[in-house]
Amino acid sequence: MRQLSIVVLLPLAACNQPSPQNQETAQRDAPAIVEDSTRFEDVEAAGGAFTPPPNLAIEVALDRLGFSSGVIDGKPTRLDDLALRGFQAANDLAVSGKLDEATRAALSRAPVEPLRTVRIPQGFAQGPFVPDLPAESGKQAGFDHLGYRNLMEALAERFHTTPETIVSLNGPDARIGAGTVIRVPNVADVDTANLKADERGWSATLAALGVAPVQPQADKLVVSKSKGSLRAFDSADKLLAQFPVTTGSEHDPLPIGNWKILGVSRNPDFHYNPKLFWDVSDKQPDRLLKPGPNGPVGVVWLDLSKDHYGIHGTGEPASIGHSESHGCVRLTNWDAARLAQMVKPGVSVVFEE
């Protein structure tokens, strides 16, 4: 077992680069999901009462209902207001971004308990991890898997939070490892009975991110540059879900207009082309990077009809809504995974100011 520690990772540039390979996702033979690596046993909390951050319950409920505020950390931010506004709009409530009584009543559809106290499964604690994985995309070639660097990082993504939040919920002297008990945001386990074996390991990824495979189906996505949001609508134009995103920069602005999803690539390989990065020397060679949550596009790439642009995950979830990208649309890995289960080729995508 090891002591809890805060993991600080360098910012990771996202894209304006070619779509990853392996656009088709096959449901073929692969190792079965290991139950011990996915099921976190709930245990009775010890040590007396614990008061979580006041905003944690709201963020957990919104996350479960499909209106993400990004990382669940209990800190009131504009992303919480954004998520509440989306939830209110979807439920025909006054759109204020505030937790009024009507909104509180609607949120009661999700569990009110903000925390779980869980035992870390041995299979989950074993990894495998990649402690020496570089943060710079161009240096990640040669690694078999662009996985989590340590158990803390894996736990943070599994429970849609940050290493810092896990430390704050458990104290700096708490320990993590196989069999240890910790407090985490109340993100449910995935029912492994609904997961199928597949050659890209996608079912295992969903379980590792706490994302259910069955999601409502979207007919249209709308990405707002000014709001920093991605909204998913069904064929009747009903708002189904909303996620915070990072979109473009001064050098690589979001391409305003109407596009379509051409393909959905889960756990993709990635063709790293330095010529498509304004801040990388063109003299660097092209590289093929292996899949993994810490790769340049995280666990998902939604290929768009606009050349070199896509919607994808990231290895830096805390940066969503707070930094720029190389033109593409970035989400947390868990939000990107959920979105991937909601769309298919042909879904329309609107990029607006």
Side-chain angles (χ1 to χ4, degrees):
M1 293 184 291
R2 70 187 82 175
Q3 188 172 1
L4 282 169
S5 59
I6 296 176
V7 180
V8 180
L9 305 177
L10 298 176
L12 180 64
C15 66
N16 192 16
Q17 45 200 349
S19 60
Q21 299 175 3
N22 299 312
Q23 294 293 330
E24 297 298 327
T25 300
Q27 298 291 330
R28 300 176 183 170
D29 294 336
I33 303 300
V34 179
E35 182 72 16
D36 184 55
S37 69
T38 60
R39 187 176 68 83
F40 282 75
E41 176 193 359
D42 288 284
V43 299
E44 186 174 348
F50 176 82
T51 303
N55 233 44
L56 201 73
I58 300 169
E59 293 173 348
V60 166
L62 287 168
D63 178 87
R64 283 184 172 242
L65 293 169
F67 291 84
S68 170
S69 56
V71 296
I72 298 174
D73 58 9
K75 299 176 182 178
T77 68
R78 71 169 188 85
L79 297 184
D80 291 346
D81 293 343
L82 183 67
L84 271 174
R85 288 177 180 275
F87 178 77
Q88 289 167 336
N91 288 273
D92 298 320
L93 301 170
V95 180
S96 64
K98 306 301 180 184
L99 189 62
D100 53 38
E101 288 304 315
T103 302
R104 191 184 300 273
L107 283 173
S108 66
R109 301 202 310 267
V112 295
E113 290 297 325
L115 293 176
R116 294 175 66 187
T117 302
V118 301
R119 191 182 309 278
I120 300 173
Q122 181 175 356
F124 191 92
Q126 288 177 340
F129 302 116
V130 192
D132 57 344
L133 182 70
E136 186 179 335
S137 302
K139 296 180 179 180
Q140 292 179 341
F143 286 83
D144 293 335
H145 180 63
L146 307 183
Y148 298 116
R149 294 177 177 87
N150 50 49
L151 176 57
M152 175 65 88
E153 190 177 35
L155 284 168
E157 291 231 340
R158 167 60 187 82
F159 292 101
H160 304 183
T161 188
T162 63
E164 293 87 348
T165 301
I166 293 179
V167 170
S168 70
L169 294 177
N170 294 278
D173 296 327
R175 302 173 72 85
I176 60 171
T180 57
V181 175
I182 61 171
R183 299 185 189 94
V184 291
N186 191 2
V187 177
D189 291 350
V190 175
D191 184 358
T192 56
N194 291 326
L195 297 176
K196 300 178 180 179
D198 61 283
E199 70 172 14
R200 301 296 296 179
W202 181 243
S203 289
T205 297
L206 290 175
L209 290 170
V211 174
V214 179
Q215 299 290 340
Q217 295 303 291
D219 188 66
K220 179 179 69 174
L221 306 181
V222 178
V223 175
S224 170
K225 177 182 175 181
S226 59
K227 294 178 181 177
S229 67
L230 183 153
R231 291 171 289 164
F233 297 86
D234 66 12
S235 57
D237 211 33
K238 176 177 174 55
L239 179 58
L240 299 173
Q242 179 181 289
F243 310 106
V245 296
T246 291
T247 63
S249 67
E250 178 183 352
H251 295 276
D252 299 299
L254 186 74
I256 304 302
N258 298 315
W259 315 101
K260 286 187 180 295
I261 293 177
L262 297 183
V264 180
S265 185
R266 299 169 171 89
N267 286 333
D269 292 336
F270 185 75
H271 177 201
Y272 175 75
N273 184 352
K275 294 181 177 62
L276 296 173
F277 289 86
W278 61 268
D279 54 352
V280 176
S281 171
D282 290 353
K283 295 180 180 179
Q284 291 192 22
D286 288 14
R287 297 175 175 91
L288 183 66
L289 307 184
K290 294 297 185 179
N294 270 318
V297 296
V299 300
V300 168
W301 172 273
L302 305 184
D303 193 32
L304 300 181
S305 53
K306 171 68 173 175
D307 286 348
H308 308 317
Y309 281 81
I311 300 171
H312 61 85
T314 180
E316 293 294 334
S319 71
I320 297 302
H322 304 290
S323 65
E324 297 180 334
S325 77
H326 279 79
C328 294
V329 177
R330 285 190 294 153
L331 304 87
T332 66
N333 276 330
W334 54 87
D335 288 342
R338 188 170 190 167
L339 181 63
Q341 299 303 101
M342 300 177 68
V343 301
K344 59 185 178 181
V347 166
S348 66
V349 179
V350 178
F351 287 169
E352 63 181 24
E353 291 290 350

